[in-house]
Amino acid sequence: MSYSLVKGFEEKGLPFNTYFCPGRINLIGEHIDYNGGFVLPAAISLGTTLYISKRADSLINIQSQNFDGAFTINPAEEQTYTPGNTWANYVIGCVDFLRQKGIQLGGYNLLFDSNLPIGTGLSSSASVEVLTLFALLSEVGISTFTKEEIAVFAQQVENNFVGMNCGIMDQFAVAMGKAGHAIKLNCETLEYEYIPVDFGNYTLVIMSTNKPRSLIHSAYNQRKAECEEALAIINKEHNYANLCAVPLHVAQAELSGILKQRAAHCITEQNRVLMACNAMQTNNLSIFALQLMGSHQSLRTDYEVTGIELDSLYNAAMQTDGCLAARMMGGGFGGCAIALVDAPKMELFKTTVAAKYNAATGLQASFYDCQLSNGVGKLANQI
Ligand code: GLA
């Protein structure tokens, strides 16, 4: 194995442990986790591996196979988000979270290695956060926190340290995934149910727009603020726990303009999630497919988070032979879409969609196959 740091662990006779945390897809339920809605994500076989070894001193050294640079911090000292720390902020934020919880960490070398395409909406950051928290807690022998609690901690790191006001979906999915299943998650209560996923003759494919997503944080936070404003207006006369709980006719009567559109997406998306879960449980793929397409249209028209790239990819997929359904996935503004494709037609589907997408945008799409997988865990060391 070519990993110099892992080799370094071995050469110095340092024992090390290996942990893995997946990325995630979301079958349906977009931009409603932070509105108390139901979502249907799943952990995937692509993800992040962490090699961790103890150090003689009490510092933490952070490196990645995917990026240059090494970051060394003292886990006993307060840390702040620093742009120059780039990707390592996700790790440093977790170390600081554990310090604030009163957990004393020793010195560790951390080497990350990801086969997730970074920053494309497959939750590479949630994967790193949940992985860091899970591994460090395991290394110091603290087993009092459940994986659900670790997911919530990771969300707090993302909200409070990184400054992205995300919901709980990504962290929960990568922590709690189960092979062959999606998670029907109630984001208001965190109650969940594993739903077996069987697409019959169809195969799920991830399609990346390969559009850099530089403005995602501010646009995302803006959508969240709009939803909070919509609920506050409605609740002047009512008392709904969250935006997804508001009947559509009430939202239509109380709101206007952009806030009316945003609420319409959230309320109808919640309905589509419930219909999709029911369809999956009764093997009704055509009803499931209709919900996926309805989700994309609502995210395009009412929530306005698609953009030319995701819409072009969606249109290319839907116009190509063998495609049962497609939709954008994740935060939007670039990132990935998913499609359900008749398995024997998959290779032709990919080349056709790539050509159509390139003609529309000038960009090259990428395609990723994946299985639905288990959540975070410790691996047997394999060197
Ligand atoms: C990002 C966020 C999630 C969720 C999705 C949109 O992935 O991290 O919490 O809001 O966008 O559904």
Side-chain angles (χ1 to χ4, degrees):
M1 187 169 281
S2 64
Y3 302 149
S4 55
L5 188 57
V6 175
K7 271 191 176 163
F9 292 171
E10 282 208 307
E11 280 156 13
K12 290 177 196 147
L14 292 173
F16 64 92
N17 287 319
T18 310
Y19 297 83
F20 179 78
C21 188
R24 68 98 189 88
I25 55 166
N26 184 22
L27 293 177
I28 191 163
E30 221 62 89
H31 282 277
I32 60 171
D33 58 346
Y34 53 84
N35 286 306
F38 281 87
V39 293
L40 191 62
I44 55 173
S45 40
L46 302 169
T48 318
T49 303
L50 169 59
Y51 305 94
I52 179 165
S53 86
K54 280 205 166 69
R55 285 168 63 102
D57 61 21
S58 56
L59 300 176
I60 291 191
N61 178 270
I62 305 160
Q63 291 187 52
S64 167
Q65 285 293 125
N66 309 97
F67 301 103
D68 291 335
F71 305 85
T72 303
I73 58 168
N74 181 344
E77 288 174 0
E78 182 177 352
Q79 307 293 327
T80 50
Y81 181 91
T82 310
N85 287 342
T86 60
W87 70 274
N89 276 306
Y90 296 103
V91 183
I92 295 170
C94 291
V95 170
D96 198 59
F97 181 90
L98 296 176
R99 181 192 63 79
Q100 288 176 51
K101 274 214 149 328
I103 294 167
Q104 289 185 355
L105 301 172
Y108 290 101
N109 290 312
L110 309 180
L111 173 65
F112 292 85
D113 184 22
S114 178
N115 63 4
L116 272 173
I118 312 276
T120 59
L122 297 177
S123 292
S124 48
S125 56
S127 177
V128 166
E129 289 156 355
V130 168
L131 181 61
T132 303
L133 291 167
F134 182 85
L136 287 174
L137 286 167
S138 304
E139 291 293 307
V140 296
I142 295 179
S143 55
T144 40
F145 299 116
T146 62
K147 288 186 183 177
E148 285 105 310
E149 287 172 309
I150 290 175
V152 173
F153 295 165
Q155 183 200 12
Q156 287 171 8
V157 170
E158 184 92 31
N159 291 171
N160 303 330
F161 192 87
V162 179
M164 164 85 168
N165 296 331
C166 67
I168 187 64
M169 174 171 78
D170 302 351
Q171 290 79 7
F172 199 95
V174 304
M176 297 292 294
K178 181 172 171 181
H181 292 72
I183 309 172
K184 179 185 177 188
L185 173 65
N186 178 338
C187 297
E188 179 75 25
T189 63
L190 296 194
E191 285 168 318
Y192 64 96
E193 180 188 352
Y194 290 114
I195 301 213
V197 171
D198 180 2
F199 295 127
N201 297 331
Y202 293 89
T203 300
L204 185 115
V205 64
I206 300 169
M207 312 181 288
S208 173
T209 60
N210 285 327
K211 183 204 173 200
R213 298 199 303 163
S214 52
L215 293 176
I216 169 87
H217 283 204
S218 58
Y220 184 98
N221 290 348
Q222 186 196 348
R223 291 296 180 285
K224 182 162 187 273
E226 287 165 355
C227 290
E228 284 163 1
E229 194 183 339
L231 183 63
I233 292 171
I234 292 167
N235 273 349
K236 282 184 186 158
E237 300 290 330
H238 304 270
N239 189 24
Y240 293 105
N242 61 61
L243 193 54
C244 288
V246 179
L248 187 58
H249 71 271
V250 173
Q252 304 275 323
E254 302 286 352
L255 301 170
S256 60
I258 278 187
L259 298 187
K260 187 173 177 178
Q261 283 176 232
R262 304 299 187 243
H265 165 71
C266 296
I267 296 162
T268 59
E269 182 77 351
Q270 153 110 332
N271 196 34
R272 284 184 288 270
V273 174
L274 298 176
M275 300 266 287
C277 289
N278 196 35
M280 185 55 66
Q281 287 169 315
T282 54
N283 284 322
N284 195 332
L285 262 190
S286 50
I287 298 279
F288 186 83
L290 279 176
Q291 309 316 310
L292 263 56
M293 294 179 283
S295 173
H296 184 93
Q297 281 147 24
S298 178
L299 287 157
R300 179 183 59 208
T301 311
D302 281 338
Y303 220 66
E304 298 179 284
V305 292
T306 54
I308 177 88
E309 294 82 9
L310 280 167
D311 286 332
S312 300
L313 202 48
Y314 171 83
N315 291 337
M318 290 306 303
Q319 288 160 9
T320 299
D321 187 32
C323 183
L324 179 68
R327 68 173 204 86
M328 68 145 274
M329 187 194 72
F333 305 103
C336 286
I338 51 172
L340 284 174
V341 181
D342 192 11
K345 297 184 173 154
M346 182 61 90
E347 289 316 308
L348 187 56
F349 171 86
K350 288 178 184 170
T351 46
T352 310
V353 169
K356 286 180 181 164
Y357 177 68
N358 181 256
T361 64
L363 295 171
Q364 299 292 338
S366 312
F367 298 85
Y368 302 93
D369 301 321
C370 67
Q371 280 83 47
L372 307 191
S373 302
N374 289 328
V376 68
K378 186 174 181 183
L379 302 183
N381 285 346
Q382 296 164 329
I383 288 290

